[in-house]
Amino acid sequence: MKENQAMQKLPPYLFARIEKKIEEAREQGVDVISLGIGDPDRPTPPHIIERMEQAIKDPANHQYPSSVGMLRFREAVASWFLDRFGVELDPKSEIVSLLGSKEGIAHISFCFVDPGDVSLVPDPGYPVYNIGAILAGAEPYQMPLTAENRFLPALEDIPQEKAKRAKLMFLNYPNNPTGAVADAEFFKKVVEFARYYDILVCHDHAYSEIAFDGFKPISFLEVEGARSVGIEFHSLSKTFNMTGWRIGWACGNRDAVEVLTRFKSNVDSGVFQAVQEAGIAALEGPQDCVEAMRNLYQRRRDVVIEGLNDMGWRLEPPKGSIYVWAPVPKGYTSASFAELVLEKAGVIITPGTGYGDYGEGYFRIALTVEEDRLREALQRMHDALGKVEF
Ligand SMILES: Cc1ncc(COP(=O)(O)O)c(C=O)c1O
């Protein structure tokens, strides 16, 4: 049996490797605190679970769903979108349901790139942009996200030769792993760039509702002209603590939505309708759970920033996402620092290189453990490292 060339290039998924490390340390009796994986630790709000309980009993939901999603679900998305971003979407032609946004993000490459085409991916970035491009036979071009440029790609630095061959550009704000956010000014430049080079912009908005200090992230689709060049990926995973349910959607450019829907109708059979019902309850129900979640992460963010700054870091609190992205101290690489922290403090942090070459020199902390455990993790790091230098 010989795997194909694309699979030969594919490493095990980052978190599969981290989970293995956690398992090994736990087998040795270490009380590991994992700040590695960005999976919300709190349960799905009860009103969403209750809707699922009812929906699961309805035999109509036991049959194959459609890949595009129930019209009722897409209508709930459209109404939430209008309310949240002031953008009107046609539920019939501009929205498609997804088995979690990861599914759509991976599959969009199969819809728009041919072997030899370029896909513009942020580096550091959520690994699936790169992986989708590789699997579809495209050549990923890494757009560096640097602290100097507020972790936004410098569009003017993308070589013309690459831009001309590019079919897709992936963006993600609030950003995983850097916690950076984007404004309308930046998105306007992206629209211009995409128009000029005829590129489909794929904005990953998985953290659209997780922002702090009163900041409200905008949708890429709010910017004039964005709908002619862009599709946006949304997820219920982080907003409503529903990572295990597998539901999200893509919306925006109707041609792109149509192509993705056609692709999906050939490879999957849609989201379990009872889960879509739960999604409707999430989008149409009370939103105070979302506000409580934001406050929770903001408190945890402050604990981490304060704890790290006490040790010698000089970090600004990130404006969004559920991550803190920080440089490693002098004398370490991302990998050697993450290893040291695991060995000396029993704490898992993610080496920045897991998100691409430009993640070297950084590590990521996920804010998905309770405050007392976070405090303990930071105390252990403090005891193990003392004051750090850069
Ligand atoms: C930036 C980003 N996009 C997309 C996803 C995928 O979310 P889901 O497939 O659960 O909707 C994640 C999950 O961690 C993420 O960090």
Side-chain angles (χ1 to χ4, degrees):
M1 195 195 311
K2 193 162 184 281
E3 58 187 325
N4 65 12
Q5 287 177 7
M7 283 308 296
Q8 284 171 31
K9 285 188 214 159
L10 212 63
Y13 196 60
L14 173 63
F15 292 112
R17 283 179 279 158
I18 293 178
E19 265 158 17
K20 196 155 170 271
K21 280 203 160 177
I22 298 175
E23 216 179 277
E24 283 165 6
R26 285 194 176 137
E27 269 166 18
Q28 287 165 19
V30 182
D31 169 27
V32 180
I33 304 179
S34 175
L35 310 180
I37 302 177
D39 191 351
D41 52 314
R42 292 288 179 99
T44 307
H47 66 281
I48 301 173
I49 297 174
E50 276 154 28
R51 177 72 77 90
M52 175 75 172
E53 277 170 352
Q54 290 158 13
I56 208 165
K57 292 186 188 126
D58 181 352
N61 292 334
H62 299 171
Q63 296 187 287
Y64 283 124
S66 69
S67 333
V68 71
M70 291 155 71
L71 184 58
R72 278 274 298 115
F73 173 70
R74 286 174 287 143
E75 283 169 350
V77 167
S79 143
W80 179 88
F81 216 88
L82 182 62
D83 194 46
R84 171 67 178 84
F85 300 114
V87 173
E88 227 172 292
L89 293 170
D90 174 9
K92 291 200 171 134
S93 63
E94 292 178 317
I95 301 170
V96 53
S97 71
L98 299 173
L99 291 139
S101 62
K102 182 179 186 180
E103 178 261 308
I105 290 166
H107 282 154
I108 195 82
S109 291
F110 290 86
C111 302
F112 288 98
V113 298
D114 285 309
D117 288 340
V118 167
S119 205
L120 303 171
V121 301
D123 184 343
Y126 180 55
V128 184
Y129 316 133
N130 209 34
I131 289 167
I134 292 173
L135 286 177
E139 181 190 312
Y141 174 78
Q142 269 72 31
M143 303 183 289
L145 305 187
T146 61
E148 299 76 61
N149 208 37
R150 294 178 296 124
F151 299 111
L152 300 170
L155 303 177
E156 61 282 7
D157 291 349
I158 300 169
Q160 268 221 353
E161 184 269 325
K162 300 286 182 195
K164 279 185 184 157
R165 290 198 288 129
K167 292 287 161 62
L168 297 179
M169 173 192 278
F170 288 93
L171 295 171
N172 162 229
Y173 296 99
N175 183 259
N176 174 12
T178 68
V181 295
D183 56 15
E185 268 325 289
F186 170 71
F187 283 152
K188 275 183 199 158
K189 284 191 206 152
V190 172
V191 170
E192 256 173 56
F193 185 90
R195 273 193 168 150
Y196 186 81
Y197 289 107
D198 193 16
I199 291 169
L200 176 67
V201 177
C202 301
H203 183 233
D204 174 358
H205 220 346
Y207 299 95
S208 70
E209 301 316 297
I210 309 184
F212 312 121
D213 311 316
F215 179 80
K216 254 190 159 346
I218 63 165
S219 161
F220 178 66
L221 300 174
E222 282 181 55
V223 173
E224 208 191 318
R227 210 184 302 223
S228 65
V229 294
I231 187 167
E232 194 162 76
F233 293 90
H234 284 259
S235 171
L236 280 82
S237 289
K238 310 290 157 83
T239 310
F240 299 103
N241 298 338
M242 290 177 78
T243 47
W245 299 62
R246 310 315 301 137
I247 182 161
W249 73 86
C251 59
N253 184 276
R254 78 179 52 192
D255 295 334
V257 167
E258 187 279 318
V259 179
L260 182 58
T261 305
R262 185 151 38 92
F263 179 89
K264 282 173 57 60
S265 67
N266 282 285
V267 302
D268 71 55
S269 298
V271 178
F272 182 23
Q273 287 196 173
V275 171
Q276 294 189 54
E277 287 287 349
I280 295 169
L283 293 167
E284 291 181 347
Q287 300 294 301
D288 47 348
C289 55
V290 183
E291 182 60 18
M293 178 261 318
R294 266 192 291 272
N295 292 335
L296 176 81
Y297 288 128
Q298 185 169 319
R299 283 197 301 276
R300 291 177 180 178
R301 173 202 70 167
D302 292 343
V303 166
V304 171
I305 295 291
E306 238 180 78
L308 290 177
N309 284 352
D310 273 354
M311 283 178 243
W313 270 271
R314 286 202 204 105
L315 300 169
E316 288 289 328
K319 280 253 177 294
S321 86
I322 53 175
Y323 308 107
V324 168
W325 182 245
V328 298
K330 200 158 95 186
Y332 292 98
T333 62
S334 292
S336 69
F337 186 64
E339 262 163 43
L340 176 88
V341 172
L342 176 58
E343 199 184 302
K344 301 269 193 240
V347 173
I348 295 269
I349 55 174
T350 322
T353 40
Y355 304 92
D357 292 346
Y358 289 90
E360 180 54 88
Y362 284 88
F363 66 94
R364 192 193 80 168
I365 283 179
L367 304 172
T368 45
V369 302
E370 292 294 353
E371 225 175 288
D372 57 342
R373 282 295 265 178
L374 265 185
R375 284 188 199 283
E376 185 180 338
L378 286 150
Q379 188 58 51
R380 285 197 210 165
M381 282 172 72
H382 200 296
D383 294 344
L385 305 170
K387 287 273 178 205
V388 294
E389 282 176 24
F390 295 91

